[in-house]
Amino acid sequence: MLMHLIGFEIRWCAKQWVFRISLVVFLLLGVVLSVAPFGAGGHINAPIGIAMGLALLSLNGLFSVTLLAAQGALRDRDTRMEPLIFATPVSRFDYLVSRFVGLVACSLLAILPAAVGLVVGHLWLSDRSLMGPVIVSPYLWAVWVLMIPNIFMCCSVLFASAIATRNALTTYIIGVALYIAYWAASMMADSPLMAQSSPYAPSDTHPAILFEPFGIIGILDAVRFWTVEQKDQWLIPMTTPLLLNRLLWMGLSLSLFAFTYRGFGFRDVEGTKRRRQQQDDTWDRPGSLAWQAVARQAMGLRRDFWQILTCVRMSLRCLSRGPAFYLMALLWLFFCAVTLSDQMRGGVFNQSVFLDTPQILNVLFEPMVKLGALVVIFFSAECFWLDRQHGMHAWIFSSGLRAWSHVIAHIVTVVMVCLGWVVGTFFIGWAFHVAFGDRAWHWLAGWMFLFQSLIPLVAVGLMTLSLQNLVPNKYAGMFLSLTFVVLFTGVIVSRLPGMDHPWWRMVWVGDFHYDSMTQSTYVGWDFLMHAIYTGGLVLTALVVAGVCWQHGSFKLGKPVLAWGLSGVSAIMIIIGAVCVLGPWNPEMDTKSGRLDWLERHERTWSAEKDRPVPSIRAVSLDLKIQAHRYLCQGEYKVWNNTNEPISEALVSVPLGLRLVTLTSAQADTTVMGPYRRITWDPPLNPNAEATIKFEVAESMSGLRPGNPERYVVGGTAYLEMDKVLPVFGYRSSWSIKNAKERQKRGLPVIDDDCDERGAEDRFQLSARITANHHFQAIAPGTCVERFVSGNQVTFVYQSNAPIPFSFAVAVAKYQEHRSWFGDKEVVLYTHDHEHVDDILRGAVDALTYCESEFGPYPQPRLVIAQIPAFSSSFAATAYPGLIFLVSDKALQLKDNDGRLNYRMMAHEVSHQWWGKMVEPAPCKGASMLTETLAEYTQMVIAEKRYGPEVTTQYQQLMDPLYFSWRGYDEEPEPPLNRVERQAYVAYFKGSHAMYQLRDMLGESRINGVLRDYAMRFAHPSYPRADDLLDLFRQEVATVDEHRFEALFTTVTTYQLNLKSAVTERTESGWTTEMNVDIQVIGPLQNEAELYELRLVDGDGRIMAESQAEWGPGSHTLNVQSHSRPDIAELDPRLMKLEADRSDNSVAVANR
Amino acid sequence: MLSITRLSKTYRNGTHALRGIDLEVGPGLFGLLGPNGAGKTTLMRTIAALQRPDEGRILLDGVDVVAFPQVVREQLGYLPQEFGVYPGVSAEDLLNHLAILKGLTARKSRHEQVRSLLHQVGLDTVRHKAVSTYSGGMRQRFGIAQALLGDPKLLIVDEPTAGLDPQERYRFLNLISGLGRDRVVLLSTHIVEDIRELCTQMAILCDGSLLIEGAPEGLLSKLSGRVWTKVVHADDVQAIRSQFRVLSTRLRAGRMQVHVLHDDCPGHGFSRIEPNLEDLYFHVVRQDQAC
Ligand SMILES: Nc1ncnc2c1ncn2[C@@H]1O[C@H](COP(=O)(O)OP(=O)(O)OP(=O)(O)O)[C@@H](O)[C@H]1O
Ligand SMILES: [Mg+2]
């Protein structure tokens, strides 16, 4: 009997559209995954990549399972077979077990093909050069540990909910709840898949790992400190939290099934009691109750209006009925609360931040749109099937309601659902702001919030209506819509070569990116263009659906209408496409297109590499900032700084900009591909001068991905001018950097230590910046003039001394704050008024310290200016005499002592010495000479103000950051003296290295070396990292030599383990024996080094400290103390770079 | 005036549900009789423009229903054989909703009609209860009420009395015969008596074809004097069947009453009776061997 039932169940399921479609979709997704892998492992088939990919697919499998479960468990109800089935003598066991086993079997059959697709892809499709050896175990591991348990878990949760509630909506909502659980846990645990999250200590992630149903956080946590090589080679270990997670959810699944089994009876579920049984019998008997004919109102817009209204009211009433709706609202509230409270401490190093409008809306936007899409798909499908499902369609269709009124009623209902979702979310955000928020609430941001999310959601809803119209089965239609959304919103399709083109992102415009300085999002009202485009696509879908449908509500009355609407939608698509795709450079939009272009460029132009170019001596600019564009007219005074005559030179501006004109009185210019060629006839002789005039323009489109280094949004601007101005010569940045990619394309290996172009010229700058008269312009140098004409204001800046080619200007509305450092002023321009004192104090303290320790500050003043959060790739940046701070970074921090603001200020101010006064050669290791030294300087300055313990606290934050960031680096890690772009090396490891170096040498000796270095290598001598290290080497004692080299010239990490500590009483006090195990990972692993041990009592008071010089291996040390110690610690001062410090301290036992 | 010519409908699974129906329906009640699966519902749904015929024309007052479905919908009151309702919506609300869909946008007159209809079908005391919680008969009454909304010139009611208790059935029949005077009412039923009492015209449908059509009296007169009855022992029925055309047999107190069609007295113990519609029905349907 049971086997027969299970067989029937599987056969039935196999006939379902959902099953068939999902089988195909998952197979294809597996193949896609093999071409476009997840995870930042080096190899496409790294075990973590396989595990992550398959785990994420099983997460998406949740949707199939939800639909299969709803269909399987509720089909008797949907088809009104329940009374027939329930009246048969089938046993509860047979009934439930066969349904459940059938569901599990079908879900596995529908989703596991993903793994097959992945294997197939890896074997035959993937690029061999990007792959390691193919072995079976990672696939089996992922299927066995992740996919099967996940699918089983989804099945039992959803089956239980379907059987318990016998309601599709509730089942669906519980499916969404599982998804939300994953999402919330990811937020809690800092999944790198979540953009907003920031790192936590490992112990804090354990609850999240347990709580997250899919084990994805668990595997990420298991590898969080691995390097790329390790990720490529090692299998993922079954860590305790991961194992517990798997056991917990399997156990939960089984008990849920058991629970369902116990609770199930072959009975109809009775509806819940109506609260309100209103019996207002005020229905006074009128004179005549006889039936009288009432004429219909003539057909017309007025009648249509009332009909649409009543349909919408009725649909909304039916859709919002029952507990499911409230469950969903509660769930969403819960999710918002988790997200926002996470956001509150979401600043750098998990500091609490000001919770203001941008913080709230930006963080709610993405989950709102993505989860909203799921909600909207469900409600749209329900709305579409409402009449049929409840057997009302014959009445509705025969009532005289016009088909188009019916369609419009559906559409309005969908819009209302979307509107409710978005407005509801906005007000949840507002309520949160009332309760915990800071700063003023920007009501006007609501319009952009609404506009930018409503259109995608409505589009999804209408797409769903159209699909429902074309597919004869509700669940199949929903599955198609879900697939569509997952494919195009998620990261899946965009990972395929060529599919990262914006065309494919159709409905979505990334993040919300609202900024309080500009009071606008990055997209702003450019979104309108996008809306037209999306609208056209949706209209097309509706027309197609209307033309194809025969019996139902969507039938288009007249072909004229169909043709008319097709025409309108085509026009909308064309207009939209022109506006949306217009600002895109078709060649450069996709990653593969870009790589091809770079390759072509390098092959065509690299011969020009060695041709001498003129140097820039003076620059004068006239920069006009408008609402969404800028125009920069300028003049270069150039001279021939070489020994040979220059007859021609290439000039180029960055891609995306328009070099409107380029003229020179003494030369001709011609367009050559991406370059212009200037030809001097007669040639420019050594030391001869020339003038070049140019005009560069750029219109900003909010639809392009934001460029953090160059933007104008509503008149507020931040422009890094080296990314705007034309430069001479072959652009080596227009080449492929990735070594593997170069090898694949047969390009020569780059192993230059230094940038070929050499150091940048320094020049005198004179800049006129014109903007709207509400705004203030900031540029390097001194503002010598400011004048208003009409509603425009112009600022004229002159540089105080020659400046490097990298400089930036900002235009915004500011308030001015001042402080003094000796007779030089420190001016702060901000939009937000918090932290003003901290920042000014940090700047003055840092200027004072640096001037007394490293040499005089060369500028007449220091200007600090806030810039919008659109500069998302950095927190602050320094130019000569000028520092920019990004709004949502340090300035957003709420911590009351202002330590991080202070530190950041000290760091940036010290760049006036480390970077500006001493400019390193553009070679590997350069950022050690800038960032690492700035980290050191801020460390000592902060210590002066806040005491030495803040340094240990700071190091406790730095070390885990170093380990987790390097886990996502795709290239092997360089040592400090060879560091390039790896911020985790220059900042986090650099900070650690300088902390140790100070321990070796002491502050005054370090500062002595640095002063010496600053004097010897002041601009223009362009030192390299080893120049500084040589100076330090003279100071480092013999005993510390290994330690010094380990820190600065190698990549060395440690795994220390304090295995046990036992103590016994002796005559002189207590003797504690500590057993230690030491592993050193790095080239100098066999050398002996000093290790510190410490005994403390229960209150943390130090009882005894000791040091020992040990090589790798096990060691024992006896330490004396006066009283009984409670805890023994190894390396208590964080002198060794170590990922997992949890085994570095133990409770002291009695012998 | 509804005139149907050569109407045919084949479902996608190959069922020939209507085979070239020709029918003229004037004002008054028109009864449709036929065995299960004869095509009554199909015919009615087709007239109500809920589905397209494969062939043939339906003209309502000269307007082609297939080409201009909106015209029939504007004048239609339709009670489907099977229907459901939105869950949790009260009779009054749902009736109001449907009334607006039928174009009764004027608030006052709509409310009045809804009220009187609920009264007419005896639902006024439960009008605040959700229709989904009604009993089968109550739900059927609700269906009747909604069919009468507005001022339907064409009423199509598919087995309206199924599930009604006798009192309600009479109430309905009275109501409908009152309405039927100046409008076309198409009624299908399996209760043959109803047609006799109410309908001015009737038709019997079998296997998609129209077997006979006309006024009940006229049709019956053709059988007049030819129907004989006798109460016999159950074992004798087989013998009578082999000899005569038996219209029907019915068990009466342990013995069988047979109706036989014969031009003159078939034999001893038979007595002549006035033919009723049931006799006509069996006569016509049996004749058609395909049924
Ligand atoms: N949607 C459908 N698809 C296929 N065949 C159908 C469909 N609806 C009805 N039929 C078939 O058409 C024929 C006529 O059905 P119809 O419902 O019109 O009969 P009816 O006379 O109303 O019967 P009843 O007295 O049982 O209500 C039947 O053979 C039936 O099986
Ligand atoms: Mg029927």
Side-chain angles (χ1 to χ4, degrees):
Chain A
M1 172 79 163
L2 184 63
M3 291 323 284
H4 169 79
L5 285 179
I6 293 176
F8 176 83
E9 208 56 42
I10 294 177
R11 281 195 304 277
W12 181 82
C13 190
K15 273 190 261 167
Q16 300 307 304
W17 276 88
V18 176
F19 174 80
R20 294 176 181 181
I21 301 175
S22 88
L23 192 143
V24 174
V25 165
F26 278 98
L27 189 71
L28 288 180
L29 284 181
V31 176
V32 168
L33 202 63
S34 71
V35 187
F38 279 100
H43 293 152
I44 285 185
N45 62 339
I48 179 67
I50 294 174
M52 271 304 295
L54 291 182
L56 282 175
L57 288 187
S58 68
L59 172 70
N60 287 324
L62 174 62
F63 301 125
S64 308
V65 176
T66 307
L67 298 178
L68 285 174
Q71 224 176 357
L74 300 177
R75 71 163 190 266
D76 294 343
R77 190 172 195 80
D78 288 350
T79 54
R80 302 191 196 159
M81 282 275 284
E82 240 173 22
L84 299 185
I85 306 258
F86 286 8
T88 63
V90 63
S91 72
R92 181 164 66 162
F93 181 83
D94 286 349
Y95 181 78
L96 286 183
V97 170
S98 63
R99 292 272 158 123
F100 184 62
V101 171
L103 174 65
V104 173
C106 287
S107 306
L108 290 174
L109 284 175
I111 300 167
L112 287 186
V116 178
L118 185 66
V119 174
V120 168
H122 279 166
L123 288 179
W124 289 292
L125 293 174
S126 298
D127 184 346
R128 284 278 148 181
S129 66
L130 303 176
M131 283 175 64
V134 178
I135 40 175
V136 181
S137 47
Y139 301 95
L140 290 184
W141 190 91
V143 168
W144 182 242
V145 175
L146 297 168
M147 291 192 90
I148 293 181
N150 286 351
I151 295 169
F152 185 79
M153 184 269 302
C154 294
C155 286
S156 54
V157 170
L158 293 165
F159 183 76
S161 8
I163 290 288
T165 62
R166 302 211 203 149
N167 178 319
L169 181 58
T170 318
T171 310
Y172 190 81
I173 301 271
I174 287 173
V176 174
L178 276 179
Y179 191 64
I180 287 187
Y182 157 74
W183 205 321
S186 304
M187 295 252 173
M188 277 159 59
D190 164 41
S191 160
L193 298 173
M194 298 287 145
Q196 308 93 339
S197 46
S198 44
Y200 287 85
S203 57
D204 293 347
T205 59
H206 285 183
I209 294 175
L210 272 187
F211 171 68
E212 192 262 298
F214 294 87
I216 293 175
I217 316 254
I219 52 173
L220 284 174
D221 183 73
V223 303
R224 66 190 263 151
F225 293 132
W226 289 10
T227 61
V228 185
E229 294 88 351
Q230 291 165 342
K231 284 180 179 170
D232 278 350
Q233 289 156 15
W234 293 359
L235 295 180
I236 303 163
M238 196 67 173
T239 58
T240 319
L242 181 60
L243 184 66
L244 284 179
N245 164 285
R246 301 285 76 190
L247 291 177
L248 173 78
W249 284 94
M250 282 304 273
L252 210 67
S253 309
L254 285 173
S255 39
L256 252 179
F257 180 74
F259 198 69
T260 317
Y261 183 80
R262 271 198 52 137
F264 180 79
F266 288 107
R267 298 271 182 281
D268 268 345
V269 255
E270 274 185 45
T272 43
K273 275 243 171 328
R274 290 267 119 208
R275 307 157 305 278
R276 169 179 57 88
Q277 196 65 270
Q278 93 194 59
Q279 286 292 356
D280 58 326
D281 258 303
T282 49
W283 211 14
D284 50 343
R285 313 237 136 193
S288 155
L289 275 176
W291 183 86
Q292 279 170 348
V294 176
R296 297 180 182 221
Q297 189 184 2
M299 275 204 277
L301 287 181
R302 231 179 84 88
R303 188 176 116 175
D304 291 341
F305 170 79
W306 288 109
Q307 291 178 333
I308 290 169
L309 192 73
T310 185
C311 284
V312 170
R313 265 208 344 239
M314 197 50 83
S315 307
L316 288 178
R317 184 168 163 182
C318 293
L319 291 178
S320 64
R321 218 178 138 259
F325 184 77
Y326 299 98
L327 184 70
M328 186 193 70
L330 269 180
L331 212 73
W332 179 234
L333 205 62
F334 162 78
F335 180 80
C336 291
V338 169
T339 311
L340 288 174
S341 53
D342 186 71
Q343 181 73 355
M344 279 203 281
R345 20 163 223 151
V348 239
F349 312 129
N350 301 316
Q351 300 279 329
S352 63
V353 299
F354 291 114
L355 197 69
D356 54 6
T357 318
Q359 290 287 317
I360 291 176
L361 296 186
N362 289 353
V363 76
L364 287 184
F365 186 82
E366 191 197 344
M368 176 186 72
V369 175
K370 288 196 173 165
L371 289 175
L374 303 186
V375 171
V376 166
I377 286 176
F378 184 83
F379 278 109
S380 309
E382 281 290 300
C383 169
F384 185 84
W385 288 96
L386 196 66
D387 301 334
R388 283 164 189 282
Q389 200 168 316
H390 296 300
M392 292 275 294
H393 53 292
W395 289 351
I396 308 265
F397 293 162
S398 65
S399 67
L401 174 71
R402 283 202 274 193
W404 272 103
S405 301
H406 204 190
V407 175
I408 291 169
H410 280 340
I411 293 175
V412 174
T413 308
V414 168
V415 173
M416 296 296 285
V417 168
C418 299
L419 202 65
W421 180 254
V422 176
V423 173
T425 309
F426 183 78
F427 278 97
I428 291 176
W430 171 76
F432 222 80
H433 185 265
V434 170
F436 309 103
D438 313 275
R439 301 176 174 167
W441 180 251
H442 295 184
W443 285 104
L444 289 180
W447 287 115
M448 288 197 181
F449 191 73
L450 189 71
F451 184 50
Q452 216 163 306
S453 53
L454 198 63
I455 288 172
L457 286 179
V458 169
V460 168
L462 298 190
M463 213 68 95
T464 307
L465 284 184
S466 316
L467 279 173
Q468 290 296 345
N469 204 4
L470 296 176
V471 176
N473 173 311
K474 178 167 83 175
Y475 294 105
M478 279 168 70
F479 187 79
L480 279 181
S481 311
L482 285 170
T483 308
F484 175 81
V485 168
V486 167
L487 282 184
F488 287 98
T489 60
V491 273
I492 297 176
V493 167
S494 64
R495 281 165 175 272
L496 284 176
M499 294 293 279
D500 47 349
H501 194 281
W503 178 269
W504 297 110
R505 297 190 313 157
M506 290 196 284
V507 176
W508 312 98
V509 174
D511 296 331
F512 188 52
H513 273 316
Y514 182 80
D515 169 74
S516 56
M517 268 181 92
T518 52
Q519 307 225 340
S520 159
T521 60
Y522 188 79
V523 179
W525 299 108
D526 283 355
F527 193 74
L528 191 62
M529 295 302 132
H530 203 275
I532 294 175
Y533 175 54
T534 315
L537 291 175
V538 170
L539 202 58
T540 313
L542 282 175
V543 171
V544 169
V547 169
C548 294
W549 181 265
Q550 288 299 313
H551 310 287
S553 47
F554 270 65
K555 192 168 171 297
L556 287 172
K558 300 181 182 78
V560 184
L561 194 57
W563 283 113
L565 282 172
S566 312
V568 171
S569 54
I571 291 169
M572 281 171 78
I573 292 176
I574 292 167
I575 295 178
V578 168
C579 299
V580 172
L581 303 178
W584 294 79
N585 176 352
E587 208 168 20
M588 304 290 282
D589 285 343
T590 61
K591 193 173 164 219
S592 52
R594 219 154 28 237
L595 290 174
D596 291 345
W597 189 90
L598 293 176
E599 180 188 343
R600 257 197 330 274
H601 168 262
E602 185 174 343
R603 290 194 192 284
T604 320
W605 296 97
S606 61
E608 300 275 341
K609 214 171 355 190
D610 301 322
R611 193 190 281 278
V613 294
S615 302
I616 302 173
R617 184 170 261 172
V619 175
S620 70
L621 297 178
D622 186 357
L623 182 63
K624 295 192 177 62
I625 307 286
Q626 291 159 7
H628 290 284
R629 59 192 299 272
Y630 65 86
L631 179 73
C632 179
Q633 289 167 319
E635 187 181 288
Y636 284 162
K637 284 224 161 24
V638 300
W639 63 300
N640 184 350
N641 188 19
T642 65
N643 309 324
E644 42 191 309
I646 298 175
S647 60
E648 55 178 45
L650 296 179
V651 178
S652 63
V653 289
L655 296 170
L657 270 67
R658 202 155 53 88
L659 184 54
V660 184
T661 57
L662 181 76
T663 55
S664 172
Q666 303 92 337
D668 293 330
T669 62
T670 45
V671 179
M672 310 274 292
Y675 294 98
R676 306 257 176 130
R677 191 188 288 280
I678 299 193
T679 321
W680 280 279
D681 191 19
L684 207 58
N685 284 321
N687 290 322
E689 275 203 2
T691 322
I692 292 169
K693 290 193 168 141
F694 57 84
E695 195 178 319
V696 180
E698 189 181 12
S699 291
M700 298 292 172
S701 163
L703 296 172
R704 283 199 71 102
N707 183 342
E709 295 158 343
R710 197 176 77 210
Y711 51 81
V712 182
V713 174
T716 301
Y718 173 72
L719 298 171
E720 292 187 359
M721 296 305 290
D722 48 325
K723 278 115 195 166
V724 172
L725 298 177
V727 297
F728 292 108
Y730 170 76
R731 256 190 209 259
S732 53
S733 62
W734 287 350
S735 61
I736 297 171
K737 294 286 179 300
N738 184 297
K740 278 182 193 157
E741 191 66 39
R742 290 188 71 84
Q743 192 189 350
K744 211 170 85 182
R745 290 167 182 265
L747 291 167
V749 181
I750 309 180
D751 57 354
D752 305 336
D753 260 3
C754 295
D755 190 343
E756 293 141 355
R757 288 207 309 131
E760 295 160 342
D761 305 318
R762 290 199 176 192
F763 51 77
Q764 287 291 351
L765 171 72
S766 141
R768 292 160 63 95
I769 305 173
T770 308
N772 183 288
H773 67 286
H774 294 301
F775 290 84
Q776 170 127 23
I778 311 280
T782 306
C783 179
V784 293
E785 200 186 345
R786 174 185 179 279
F787 58 88
V788 179
S789 68
N791 61 353
Q792 299 281 301
V793 61
T794 302
F795 294 82
V796 182
Y797 276 89
Q798 295 284 349
S799 58
N800 303 310
I803 60 165
F805 191 70
S806 325
F807 69 98
V809 301
V811 171
K813 292 176 193 165
Y814 286 124
Q815 285 177 324
E816 214 173 278
H817 311 272
R818 260 164 226 280
S819 180
W820 293 89
F821 153 65
D823 58 348
K824 298 179 177 179
E825 58 177 353
V826 177
V827 193
L828 172 62
Y829 293 100
T830 57
H831 172 80
D832 302 315
H833 53 272
E834 295 95 354
H835 301 312
V836 165
D837 296 339
D838 287 334
I839 292 170
L840 288 174
R841 192 184 313 128
V844 172
D845 283 2
L847 284 169
T848 314
Y849 182 89
C850 292
E851 194 162 77
S852 73
E853 297 290 325
F854 311 131
Y857 175 60
Q859 303 282 341
R861 72 174 59 69
L862 178 69
V863 175
I864 307 161
Q866 183 180 358
I867 54 173
F870 304 134
S871 290
S872 52
S873 60
F874 52 95
T877 181
Y879 297 102
L882 177 57
I883 292 170
F884 291 111
L885 301 177
V886 180
S887 288
D888 67 339
K889 301 288 174 12
L891 291 172
Q892 192 79 31
L893 293 179
K894 200 177 174 178
D895 59 342
N896 295 323
D897 54 10
R899 238 178 265 162
L900 282 171
N901 286 295
Y902 183 89
R903 277 180 186 281
M904 172 171 296
M905 245 7 268
H907 178 112
E908 296 304 328
V909 167
S910 77
H911 276 312
Q912 300 299 327
W913 282 262
W914 316 131
K916 305 300 172 239
M917 194 166 105
V918 185
E919 189 181 329
C923 299
K924 286 181 181 169
S927 49
M928 189 194 101
L929 297 180
T930 53
E931 304 308 341
T932 305
L933 291 184
E935 277 296 282
Y936 163 76
T937 315
Q938 62 99 335
M939 174 178 83
V940 288
I941 294 172
E943 208 169 279
K944 295 261 166 334
R945 183 162 284 273
Y946 298 109
E949 64 282 357
V950 296
T951 302
T952 329
Q953 288 166 12
Y954 188 70
Q955 288 308 319
Q956 273 169 352
L957 297 170
M958 285 295 153
D959 295 359
L961 273 180
Y962 161 72
F963 283 104
S964 66
W965 281 44
R966 80 168 183 164
Y968 295 101
D969 191 3
E970 301 194 11
E971 317 236 320
E973 179 187 352
L976 259 171
N977 65 339
R978 311 272 299 159
V979 59
E980 292 174 90
R981 290 176 303 278
Q982 300 84 352
Y984 65 99
V985 177
Y987 288 80
F988 308 146
K989 185 181 170 185
S991 174
H992 173 87
M994 291 308 290
Y995 169 66
Q996 284 215 46
L997 186 65
R998 191 185 57 165
D999 189 62
M1000 296 178 218
L1001 300 182
E1003 184 181 329
S1004 60
R1005 276 168 79 195
I1006 291 189
N1007 287 1
V1009 170
L1010 289 178
R1011 194 163 36 239
D1012 187 19
Y1013 160 77
M1015 250 152 55
R1016 274 200 221 187
F1017 294 105
H1019 184 81
S1021 14
Y1022 304 115
R1024 298 212 187 181
D1026 284 316
D1027 295 327
L1028 177 64
L1029 291 186
D1030 283 342
L1031 293 180
F1032 278 130
R1033 279 190 189 104
Q1034 294 167 11
E1035 300 286 324
V1036 172
T1038 327
V1039 59
D1040 285 326
E1041 270 173 14
H1042 288 135
R1043 199 170 148 199
F1044 179 83
E1045 298 301 330
L1047 287 170
F1048 287 96
T1049 61
T1050 69
V1051 178
T1052 305
T1053 58
Y1054 298 80
Q1055 275 175 29
L1056 309 182
N1057 182 2
L1058 179 55
K1059 288 186 289 191
S1060 65
V1062 284
T1063 189
E1064 72 185 327
R1065 188 152 205 153
T1066 57
E1067 290 122 44
S1068 53
W1070 294 78
T1071 302
T1072 309
E1073 184 190 287
M1074 289 184 262
N1075 288 300
V1076 171
D1077 188 59
I1078 289 172
Q1079 276 184 54
V1080 183
I1081 304 146
L1084 303 173
Q1085 53 182 280
N1086 294 319
E1087 308 290 343
E1089 279 184 61
L1090 278 180
Y1091 293 89
E1092 295 178 357
L1093 294 112
R1094 186 190 268 178
L1095 294 173
V1096 296
D1097 69 3
D1099 299 330
R1101 273 190 300 269
I1102 298 170
M1103 315 257 77
E1105 283 181 300
S1106 182
Q1107 282 191 335
E1109 193 172 338
W1110 284 326
S1114 293
H1115 305 279
T1116 305
L1117 183 73
N1118 284 312
V1119 179
Q1120 305 286 332
S1121 58
H1122 292 298
S1123 50
R1124 191 188 180 286
D1126 293 316
I1127 294 164
E1129 295 172 351
L1130 174 58
D1131 190 30
R1133 293 195 303 139
L1134 321 177
M1135 284 297 155
K1136 307 293 180 213
L1137 260 186
E1138 193 184 357
D1140 182 7
R1141 291 187 168 273
S1142 58
D1143 56 358
N1144 284 22
S1145 64
V1146 291
V1148 177
N1150 286 325
R1151 179 173 294 278
Chain B
M1 183 73 178
L2 184 71
S3 74
I4 297 168
T5 36
R6 304 171 51 75
L7 195 68
S8 291
K9 169 81 190 171
T10 309
Y11 284 108
R12 275 199 206 150
N13 64 358
T15 310
H16 239 338
L18 296 178
R19 305 168 192 260
I21 304 271
D22 291 298
L23 201 61
E24 291 283 318
V25 187
L29 262 65
F30 189 100
L32 263 184
L33 272 176
N36 292 143
K40 303 182 292 294
T41 300
T42 306
L43 177 62
M44 292 175 137
R45 287 175 53 86
T46 313
I47 298 170
L50 285 169
Q51 58 194 25
R52 277 165 183 278
D54 301 331
E55 249 178 63
R57 269 152 62 101
I58 307 172
L59 297 182
L60 180 68
D61 293 331
V63 182
D64 187 343
V65 168
V66 180
F68 305 97
Q70 194 63 27
V71 174
V72 65
R73 287 183 194 136
E74 286 299 313
Q75 315 181 24
L76 179 68
Y78 178 52
L79 172 66
Q81 184 173 8
E82 272 186 344
F83 59 86
V85 289
Y86 296 134
V89 183
S90 72
E92 194 179 0
D93 288 356
L94 198 54
L95 218 49
N96 261 308
H97 171 64
L98 289 164
I100 299 175
L101 293 187
K102 291 196 173 184
L104 308 190
T105 50
R107 202 183 163 80
K108 188 159 169 285
S109 58
R110 179 177 75 238
H111 279 293
E112 262 168 19
Q113 197 186 33
V114 163
R115 192 180 301 183
S116 77
L117 273 171
L118 284 171
H119 177 73
Q120 293 287 320
V121 297
L123 290 177
D124 42 4
T125 54
V126 287
R127 65 186 189 276
H128 290 305
K129 283 202 177 147
V131 185
S132 48
T133 63
Y134 278 6
S135 75
M138 284 158 84
R139 191 185 292 225
Q140 186 73 9
R141 274 142 63 192
F142 176 82
I144 293 166
Q146 75 77 35
L148 299 180
L149 280 170
D151 180 18
K153 295 278 181 295
L154 172 62
L155 249 175
I156 300 181
V157 285
D158 199 351
E159 298 192 25
T161 52
L164 295 190
D165 63 36
Q167 185 188 345
E168 287 301 331
R169 187 172 139 233
Y170 284 121
R171 183 140 71 148
F172 168 73
L173 295 176
N174 291 341
L175 179 63
I176 202 111
S177 54
L179 287 174
R181 259 168 248 140
D182 50 354
R183 50 198 98 213
V184 180
V185 181
L186 205 58
L187 174 134
S188 85
T189 181
H190 294 290
I191 304 177
V192 182
E193 307 310 289
D194 289 356
I195 293 197
R196 170 83 205 248
E197 281 157 32
L198 296 170
C199 296
T200 48
Q201 295 282 315
M202 65 166 288
I204 295 180
L205 209 60
C206 187
D207 195 22
S209 313
L210 210 55
L211 299 186
I212 52 165
E213 187 213 329
E217 276 67 34
L219 295 174
L220 282 179
S221 65
K222 290 180 189 159
L223 290 188
S224 183
R226 295 167 61 203
V227 180
W228 303 81
T229 183
K230 182 184 180 186
V231 177
V232 299
H233 196 267
D235 299 339
D236 303 335
V237 173
Q238 205 49 42
I240 297 176
R241 238 184 239 288
S242 59
Q243 274 182 289
F244 307 108
R245 237 183 94 78
V246 174
L247 290 176
S248 63
T249 56
R250 187 180 292 172
L251 206 55
R252 282 252 165 102
R255 294 168 63 87
M256 281 291 192
Q257 177 171 30
V258 286
H259 284 205
V260 170
L261 185 75
H262 211 268
D263 288 339
D264 43 25
C265 183
H268 177 71
F270 280 95
S271 55
R272 195 199 303 254
I273 51 166
E274 263 313 293
N276 60 17
L277 264 186
E278 213 161 301
D279 295 323
L280 176 70
Y281 175 84
F282 285 121
H283 167 61
V284 175
V285 170
R286 284 286 156 77
Q287 240 174 14
D288 193 280
Q289 289 307 313
C291 267

